[in-house]
Amino acid sequence: MSSSVPAAAIPWTTSAVDSTAPVTTDTLIRGWLNENGFDDLTDLSLTDLQALIAFLSQHTGVAGVSALLNQLKQLEAGWRASGNGEDELSNQIDNLKFQIKFLDILAKNTSGVDALDEAKQTSTGNLQKLEDAKKAILEGSLPWEEDNGVASRESAASLLAKLDELKALGFDLEALGLQDLYNGLATAISAYDSAVAAAGGDTTKVQLAGSQLRKTMAGEFKNYYLNSGYSDLHGLVMREQDIIEGENTYQDYLAVPMDENWRPDSVGSSREDIQKSYEEAYRMYKDAETRGDVDAMSYFRDRMKTLRKAGEKLDAGETNPLIVIIEMYIGLLEADRIRLTTLRQEALNADNQELADEITTRIDSIGQLIQEIFKGEVKLLENEQNLMASIPTR
């Protein structure tokens, strides 16, 4: 039964409630809302809920207030215990969920306050935007695929668009711990676009650009997780670290020259190719040195040594030029096979079976080519011996 006390007896001055109307939960809430002058009901907070509880506690004699207080106190206890998520985004999502419950209770206990329903609808939409962003962030980097640079770019751009929506809604990305991630992904996309444009259609360079994008994205997600309080051993952190290591392996794989496509057929052109290959090996060696990749440095150092020795032998002219070229070619292929075998194991260690299979295919093709070259060398020597035997002696 409603209290017979008129609204005029409650200490507020408001046109929101008829001063002659009996006091009810409806008039109490509407009067409290009006008295506090909330400009935006989507800003209602835990502090506001606690203030309402304190206010209603003064009017427990009004019918329905005690039951309403119990409901509000349960909500307050849950809201107060929240905010302990691993990241600020999760905390904001939890906060918004409790705010929506608060708005729902207020709306169900009042009449004629459309602003409550509108605020609930707005906050529900904002919650969905936050949850969409969180889902995309938790998905992190895309799993490795040789040609998924475009897909990775689209994934990063999609997340940036979601974060832009949050900014437009008034959320502070810095406060949510998302600003560094936003900046990092934006920079990664820009670098990828520039690298693809500079590649001029070169497949390997485009693949390298995609790999670097995936590696950078994984690094940004990993840093976000760590900065949000996740441990080094958290599944999300370890997943991104695996992607980084996998892309390192893939980039090392792309750096191994496709020697099997270079089949020297003349000494003159081969001498030029040797010099070009030496200069490229030196450049790759310096790149490996810069990033501290000892294994890659060793591989390119040995490659330079093989190329330099072959060039010196050709310049000296003391050995059959074709034999020099063949032996150099076999040496390069053998070194490639050893390097690729190491990279295949790295891919397997990173659970990247697809890359490991691709490397295996190439290792097998190099092995077959080496056998063919060995057979060709034997045939070459036989032909040379037959030629020498056919020359008449005096």
Side-chain angles (χ1 to χ4, degrees):
M1 181 174 178
S2 299
S3 168
S4 60
V5 178
I10 303 299
W12 65 51
T13 302
T14 173
S15 60
V17 179
D18 184 350
S19 61
T20 62
V23 176
T24 64
T25 55
D26 175 41
T27 56
L28 284 171
I29 292 174
R30 285 192 290 125
W32 177 79
L33 289 172
N34 192 72
E35 183 69 14
N36 283 277
F38 294 106
D39 294 327
D40 186 351
L41 291 175
T42 60
D43 288 336
L44 284 179
S45 65
L46 172 61
T47 301
D48 296 320
L49 170 59
Q50 293 169 333
L52 177 59
I53 290 174
F55 171 70
L56 292 176
S57 295
Q58 303 172 32
H59 304 284
T60 53
V62 176
V65 167
S66 293
L68 176 58
L69 275 172
N70 288 335
Q71 195 175 8
L72 292 174
K73 286 178 180 178
Q74 288 180 1
L75 178 64
E76 189 269 344
W79 200 341
R80 182 162 34 84
S82 68
N84 299 315
E86 290 184 303
D87 56 84
E88 289 304 317
L89 179 57
S90 296
N91 291 337
Q92 181 62 49
I93 288 174
D94 288 343
N95 183 70
L96 207 50
K97 287 180 178 178
F98 280 104
Q99 183 200 82
I100 292 170
K101 291 178 181 179
F102 186 23
L103 289 167
D104 185 59
I105 292 173
L106 295 178
K108 288 179 178 178
N109 285 276
T110 56
S111 60
V113 187
D114 294 338
L116 286 169
D117 292 322
E118 293 171 0
K120 178 184 173 183
Q121 184 177 2
T122 298
S123 290
T124 300
N126 291 346
L127 174 62
Q128 187 61 56
K129 297 293 185 183
L130 287 170
E131 290 182 328
D132 287 346
K134 180 179 179 179
K135 180 181 178 182
I137 291 171
L138 293 181
E139 288 175 351
S141 306
L142 295 179
W144 184 89
E145 289 182 18
E146 183 177 15
D147 297 317
N148 77 349
V150 173
S152 292
R153 188 198 184 288
E154 291 176 351
S155 173
S158 175
L159 176 54
L160 288 182
K162 289 180 172 62
L163 298 182
D164 280 329
E165 286 184 324
L166 294 183
K167 286 198 295 183
L169 291 171
F171 289 103
D172 185 344
L173 295 187
E174 189 71 43
L176 293 175
L178 296 172
Q179 190 62 59
D180 287 344
L181 177 62
Y182 181 95
N183 294 341
L185 293 179
T187 300
I189 288 177
S190 178
Y192 170 76
D193 290 344
S194 297
V196 170
D202 185 298
T203 301
T204 299
K205 290 181 179 179
V206 171
Q207 290 172 341
L208 182 60
S211 177
Q212 187 58 43
L213 171 62
R214 294 191 295 272
K215 178 180 175 181
T216 303
M217 288 176 62
E220 294 297 334
F221 282 118
K222 176 185 174 183
N223 288 337
Y224 168 76
Y225 300 143
L226 291 173
N227 292 336
S228 297
Y230 292 73
S231 73
D232 289 340
L233 299 179
H234 192 285
L236 293 175
V237 175
M238 295 178 69
R239 179 193 66 193
E240 298 304 323
Q241 183 58 38
D242 284 344
I243 290 175
I244 291 172
E245 293 175 1
E247 293 305 333
N248 284 337
T249 298
Y250 182 54
Q251 290 181 24
D252 282 342
Y253 168 63
L254 291 176
V256 176
M258 294 291 288
D259 288 321
E260 55 267 39
N261 291 342
W262 173 37
R263 302 194 182 201
D265 53 5
S266 69
V267 177
S269 62
S270 296
R271 185 64 185 92
E272 295 174 3
D273 291 337
I274 289 172
Q275 184 60 36
K276 291 178 182 177
S277 294
Y278 182 88
E279 292 171 357
E280 178 65 13
Y282 178 75
R283 185 184 68 80
M284 298 301 290
Y285 172 83
K286 298 302 289 184
D287 287 346
E289 184 179 47
T290 299
R291 65 177 187 271
D293 191 334
V294 178
D295 290 339
M297 289 171 62
S298 177
Y299 165 72
F300 287 110
R301 187 188 300 113
D302 291 343
R303 183 175 180 82
M304 286 189 291
K305 186 184 298 183
T306 299
L307 291 164
R308 185 177 63 251
K309 285 185 177 180
E312 290 172 350
K313 285 184 178 181
L314 287 178
D315 292 341
E318 298 175 357
T319 308
N320 186 320
L322 290 178
I323 298 299
V324 173
I325 294 298
I326 290 172
E327 290 179 348
M328 176 205 69
Y329 193 34
I330 292 176
L332 293 176
L333 291 173
E334 287 284 11
D336 292 347
R337 183 161 61 173
I338 294 172
R339 175 66 173 153
L340 291 171
T341 299
T342 299
L343 296 178
R344 177 177 60 186
Q345 188 57 52
E346 289 183 8
L348 290 172
N349 292 343
D351 294 326
N352 194 336
Q353 187 63 51
E354 187 176 354
L355 177 56
D357 290 343
E358 180 176 331
I359 295 175
T360 297
T361 299
R362 188 173 167 193
I363 291 173
D364 291 343
S365 68
I366 289 176
Q368 294 173 0
L369 180 56
I370 290 175
Q371 290 181 358
E372 293 175 8
I373 295 172
F374 270 127
K375 293 178 181 178
E377 184 178 23
V378 171
K379 187 67 175 177
L380 176 65
L381 292 174
E382 289 177 351
N383 291 341
E384 189 172 83
Q385 289 173 351
N386 292 335
L387 177 62
M388 294 298 294
S390 66
I391 299 176
T393 58
R394 294 187 179 180

